[in-house]
Amino acid sequence: MTTFERLKAATPASWRAYTDHDFVRQMGDGSLSQDAFRHYLVQDYLFLIHFARAYALAVYKGRNLADMRAAAAGISAILDVEMKLHLKLCGEWGLSPEEIEAAPEARATMAYTRFVLDTGLRGDLLDLHVALSPCIIGYAEIGMALVNVAGGVDEKNPYAVWIKEYSGTEYQEIAEAARANLDRLAADSLTEARFPKLAVIFDQATRLEADFWQMGLDRAL
Ligand SMILES: Cc1ncc(C[n+]2csc(CCO)c2C)c(N)n1
């Protein structure tokens, strides 16, 4: 079993609440309120900015040049690629860059992103990557689950672009690299005595992901 599979198996209820959330189901069948999706997109932009900061922390926490280069590539993937794609998607949903940048940060966004940063600051690189893993790998699982509903994406579904993005080969490979990276770090620094502490971090991050979906549904700030 991979380290990621072990962590998931240790926290099954939280994992289900995250990956099977109403927001996800409603994206899958196309019934999600478009205003809820816009609210989510704006908050996800703010989320990604802090995510880039978490990768910067991973550079700092790197134990060697290979760790530092991998984290630096993560920063660049977000700042140079992901943010542009995100702004394009926001534009297609009628959201301007000015509107997005002026948006207040929701409490669920603050809670999740600062939790990840705090976990990384207090702990080592493995703690930080465990806190990041529900986010990176979870979206890949959700993308695949949604694409498998009804045997493929319905082009009439307003959320088809989102589903295709996360079920696509490129994102699936990013998630696979994250799974392998967790195993590599675990081989060096995971003891059986430490596992329950990592499972707590994983569970907290997973519950904060579910709260992020709920924030979108409720359009909460
Ligand atoms: C709340 C939330 N959770 C996970 C992701 C997925 N994700 C996390 S980082 C990243 C960039 C690639 O490294 C992507 C796509 C998201 N966007 N928003």
Side-chain angles (χ1 to χ4, degrees):
M1 214 195 274
T2 63
T3 309
F4 180 74
E5 291 296 330
R6 278 191 74 193
L7 289 165
K8 225 170 68 167
T11 59
S14 303
W15 191 256
R16 207 168 323 105
Y18 161 37
T19 55
D20 223 13
H21 194 277
D22 282 345
F23 191 103
V24 173
R25 284 170 179 260
Q26 292 172 20
M27 274 201 295
D29 65 19
S31 67
L32 179 67
S33 139
Q34 300 204 357
D35 282 339
F37 188 67
R38 274 191 205 93
H39 188 79
Y40 159 80
L41 277 183
V42 171
Q43 291 302 318
D44 210 37
Y45 176 88
L46 301 174
F47 169 90
L48 286 169
I49 291 173
H50 292 292
F51 214 81
R53 296 177 63 217
Y55 274 109
L57 180 58
V59 175
Y60 178 84
K61 293 273 176 172
R63 305 154 305 169
N64 50 47
L65 278 181
D67 283 348
M68 294 170 81
R69 286 200 181 100
I75 301 176
S76 164
I78 295 178
L79 296 183
D80 302 331
V81 184
E82 194 69 28
M83 294 308 271
K84 285 197 190 94
L85 282 174
H86 200 85
L87 280 171
K88 184 169 163 276
L89 183 62
C90 286
E92 288 161 8
W93 280 83
L95 297 159
S96 69
E98 294 74 26
E99 199 178 339
I100 299 161
E101 267 155 36
E105 191 176 11
R107 278 165 288 180
T109 313
M110 285 187 240
Y112 188 15
T113 56
R114 302 325 190 271
F115 166 77
V116 171
L117 286 163
D118 182 59
T119 300
L121 281 167
R122 288 177 351 142
D124 67 6
L125 200 58
L126 179 58
D127 292 307
L128 176 57
H129 279 289
V130 167
L132 290 169
S133 64
C135 149
I136 299 175
I137 306 170
Y139 268 44
E141 287 199 3
I142 291 168
M144 283 316 277
L146 293 186
V147 101
N148 288 330
V149 169
V153 193
D154 179 354
E155 288 304 327
K156 290 195 291 298
N157 183 333
Y159 308 106
V161 171
W162 191 98
I163 297 168
K164 278 194 256 178
E165 170 73 23
Y166 289 110
S167 58
T169 316
E170 206 179 329
Y171 192 74
Q172 292 296 319
E173 281 172 5
I174 290 174
E176 194 45 47
R179 285 189 193 93
N181 191 40
L182 267 189
D183 282 338
R184 189 181 61 89
L185 291 170
D188 288 345
S189 34
L190 178 56
T191 59
E192 282 315 301
R194 187 176 170 189
F195 183 79
K197 294 194 190 84
L198 291 178
V200 170
I201 293 173
F202 188 86
D203 184 58
Q204 286 168 322
T206 302
R207 287 188 286 122
L208 289 161
E209 273 286 359
D211 287 352
F212 202 88
W213 291 134
Q214 194 61 44
M215 170 271 293
L217 270 192
D218 297 342
R219 283 176 264 161
L221 285 174

